[in-house]
Each structure stands twice: as C-alpha cells, then as structure tokens.
Amino acid sequence: VVFLFPISENSEKYAQEEGDKLAAAGQTVTESLWYTKQTVGNACGTIGVLHAVANADGVPSAGWFGKFFEQTRAMSPDERAKALEGDQEIAGAHAAAEAAGETASQETVETHFICFVPKDGNLYELDGRKRFPINHGPCTDVLNDSARICQQFISRDPNEVRFWMAALVG
C-alpha cells in the first residue's frame, strides 16, 4: 500500500517522537525486508514504489527492477540510497515521468509518499526519510491493517484533505 500525506508540523513532530522512542526501546525488523533511505529530493513516490515492488511476493528477476534488487540485496539502506543516486536509468525514468506529469514539480515539497508492506507476519511502514522501517505489529489483512495506520496519520491533521492511498496487487 502506497500512502500520500501532507507534511505538517504535526506529522514531523510525531515522526521524530516515534523514531526516538523506537531507537531507545528497539524493535524487531525481519532481515528479509528490503528498505532504502531517500537521499534524492522529490523522489518519495519512486522510493514508495521501490519499497512495494521489492517486498512483494514474486519480485521481478528481469529488467531494471531485477537487476537493481539483485545488486542491492546485501547492502545497507544507506548503501542502497547511494546506488540509487548513481543509477542513470532510474534517474532518467524519474525525470521523464516528472516531466510528463500534469502538474509541475514544486520547490517546496508539501506531501510525502510512504509504503506499507506485510513481511513475515508483520506490517512495516517504509519511509525513506526515517532512520529505519517501523514495525506496526502483526498483519492479518494488509489493506485493513494499513488503513488503520493511515487513519492515525489523518487524525493528526484533521483539517487536511491531501491524503491518497493505492494498493499494488497482482
């Protein structure tokens, strides 16, 4: 599930508090989870799709996805970000998609894409701006479990309408 939400003072404050709490207490993150940091500006949608595809059942073994995931499988999230930064094929595809969009890119980014994936029985929030993936606990229904977390994002900014959600199904 890919989720778009507005970046606000409330969302930033919560993300910092959540990260600090989890860094102090620790959490279990399965080793089979593919996660990368986002170091390229205005690429959160691309990062969200990468997280969704890399953690889906039946990860592509051919084409750009297959090659990139094979090359980065054993890397840390920071190393994956560096590999992505240097990948000219994805940079070109990202630039072409951005140029073909119906709205112009903005210098000030006001919204952000993240991804929720079920992996080894738990639901993970994958946000390349965060220090690490967030384990939201047991996952029995990815849509309902993701929607529950998305509702928490929405409740932090009840006067906002800039939320969007999509599921990758196959």
Side-chain angles (χ1 to χ4, degrees), residues 53-127:
V53 172
N55 289 291
D57 292 334
V59 175
S61 59
W64 183 86
F65 283 115
K67 183 178 86 176
F68 186 75
F69 294 144
E70 180 61 33
Q71 289 173 344
T72 61
R73 183 183 332 263
M75 292 181 177
S76 71
D78 291 315
E79 292 168 331
R80 289 174 180 151
K82 287 284 186 204
L84 192 59
E85 284 178 30
D87 191 295
Q88 294 306 308
E89 189 173 351
I90 193 69
H94 183 264
E98 186 177 35
E102 293 185 21
T103 57
S105 292
Q106 299 176 350
E107 289 296 319
T108 304
V109 178
E110 298 175 346
T111 56
H112 184 61
F113 284 101
I114 61 175
C115 182
F116 295 96
V117 298
K119 201 68 164 177
D120 297 338
N122 287 307
L123 180 69
Y124 290 92
E125 175 185 329
L126 305 178
D127 179 345

Side-chain angles (χ1 to χ4, degrees), residues 31-63:
E31 290 191 22
S32 66
L33 188 71
W34 192 94
Y35 171 73
T36 187
K37 300 289 289 202
Q38 179 186 338
T39 55
V40 176
N42 208 17
C44 57
T46 300
I47 299 296
V49 169
L50 286 174
H51 282 143
V53 172
N55 289 291
D57 292 334
V59 175
S61 59

Side-chain angles (χ1 to χ4, degrees), residues 1-2 52-53 56-57 142-143 166-170:
V1 173
V2 177
V53 172
D57 292 334
V142 66
L143 290 177
L168 175 67
V169 296

